[in-house]
Amino acid sequence: MRTRKKEIPGEESDSKLYQFKQKCSVIDALDASYEVKQMMKSCYFLSNCGLDLTPEREEYLRSQLGAEYFVRLQNHINQALAANAPVSAEEAEALAKKSIENMEEGKDIFQKLIAPYRGRVIYVDFWGTWCGPCMKEMGHLEELHETLKGLPVTYMYFANNSPEEAWQKATQTIGLDGENCVNLRLPYNQQQAVEEYLNISSFPTYLLVDTNGTIVTNDAPRPSMASNVREAILKLLDN
């Protein structure tokens, strides 16, 4: 039986916007310059809400940021969204003819890897054998796969800076070579290029790619939040 979340007085249905408002109140109380506060609010919005600038979030942002800082943040979001957009059919065809061994650009590498799975949602996991939190989350994969059973989902794993022997052992132990799994250990330069393209700065990081090849979030729920992952994927499939 699912328990309803207890409502907080004054809290919007958008929990991330609520958290952002709370943070803005904290920032306003700091003994810092106007410029520093504006930068802090901009950075926190990106870390908390990502690139999802809904009308409600935009309205509140405009009330918190000066025109110059709002436009700067909006331009950053628009540029990031453009980078996350899927490649065209012509570009995909051109990438298909290229050997991945000769690719250097992160966008080209990533788009080539996800291209065969158009029509499916891709759950992307950036992890490392050296990463304790990553390995802890891996312990929930069986539950995640069971929760998403029957849905058109592909799991794509990118191993960061992981020795081959440790990677192979983890693959066998955790089951990263199971059904609908794509288990990758790219050469160092290619892995770095992909991470730079996707702005991966911490591990683990989870992304969702929709059925059209668009990167919709780089802050997807973790495997330990299987029901949340399912809910996010169902929303993408309904669109």
Side-chain angles (χ1 to χ4, degrees):
M1 180 177 178
R2 296 185 65 180
T3 303
R4 241 185 114 102
K5 179 184 174 185
K6 184 178 180 180
E7 293 186 2
I8 301 174
E11 181 180 6
E12 298 84 353
S13 58
D14 184 344
S15 61
K16 291 191 175 182
L17 176 57
Y18 174 76
Q19 292 166 5
F20 179 63
K21 288 184 176 182
Q22 296 296 100
K23 188 68 173 182
C24 284
S25 296
V26 173
I27 293 173
D28 285 336
L30 295 176
D31 182 15
S33 68
Y34 170 80
E35 290 76 13
V36 169
K37 290 181 179 181
Q38 293 283 287
M39 291 300 296
M40 289 178 70
K41 289 180 180 181
S42 299
C43 291
Y44 186 77
F45 180 86
L46 290 173
S47 66
N48 189 59
C49 299
L51 305 176
D52 191 4
L53 187 59
T54 64
E56 293 78 12
R57 293 177 182 181
E58 179 178 342
E59 182 181 3
Y60 186 71
L61 261 180
R62 287 182 181 275
S63 74
Q64 293 296 308
L65 299 181
E68 177 186 353
Y69 287 92
F70 176 81
V71 169
R72 189 183 302 174
L73 179 60
Q74 188 177 47
N75 288 341
H76 173 83
I77 290 174
N78 289 338
Q79 290 171 6
L81 288 173
N84 289 353
V87 297
S88 66
E90 292 77 12
E91 290 175 308
E93 185 177 350
L95 285 174
K97 296 176 182 177
K98 283 186 177 182
S99 169
I100 194 169
E101 286 79 9
N102 299 323
M103 291 185 177
E104 297 180 353
E105 296 296 325
K107 181 175 182 177
D108 290 348
I109 297 166
F110 186 73
Q111 292 293 339
K112 181 176 178 64
L113 290 170
I114 67 173
Y117 307 102
R118 288 286 177 94
R120 299 174 64 85
V121 173
I122 307 174
Y123 185 72
V124 184
D125 182 345
F126 281 84
W127 69 291
T129 56
W130 48 268
C131 170
C134 301
M135 300 306 293
K136 183 177 180 180
E137 286 294 329
M138 290 295 186
H140 297 279
L141 290 188
E142 184 176 352
E143 177 190 356
L144 177 65
H145 293 173
E146 185 62 29
T147 301
L148 301 181
K149 190 174 181 180
L151 296 179
V153 179
T154 293
Y155 308 91
M156 186 170 288
Y157 301 98
F158 287 84
N160 168 277
N161 199 27
S162 300
E164 183 170 3
E165 184 177 348
W167 172 68
Q168 289 180 345
K169 182 178 180 180
T171 294
Q172 296 169 1
T173 303
I174 302 169
L176 300 185
D177 52 357
E179 185 179 6
N180 298 320
C181 292
V182 182
N183 188 23
L184 301 163
R185 179 178 173 272
L186 298 174
Y188 177 80
N189 289 342
Q190 289 189 330
Q191 179 73 19
Q192 291 295 107
V194 171
E195 290 175 7
E196 183 176 344
Y197 161 59
L198 296 172
N199 294 313
I200 305 299
S201 59
S202 61
F203 298 86
T205 290
Y206 305 95
L207 289 74
L208 280 173
V209 180
D210 70 14
T211 55
N212 297 314
T214 301
I215 304 163
V216 295
T217 181
N218 62 354
D219 188 25
R222 296 171 174 238
S224 57
M225 305 168 66
S227 60
N228 297 68
V229 178
R230 180 181 175 85
E231 182 180 352
I233 289 175
L234 288 175
K235 286 182 180 178
L236 294 181
L237 293 173
D238 285 342
N239 290 340

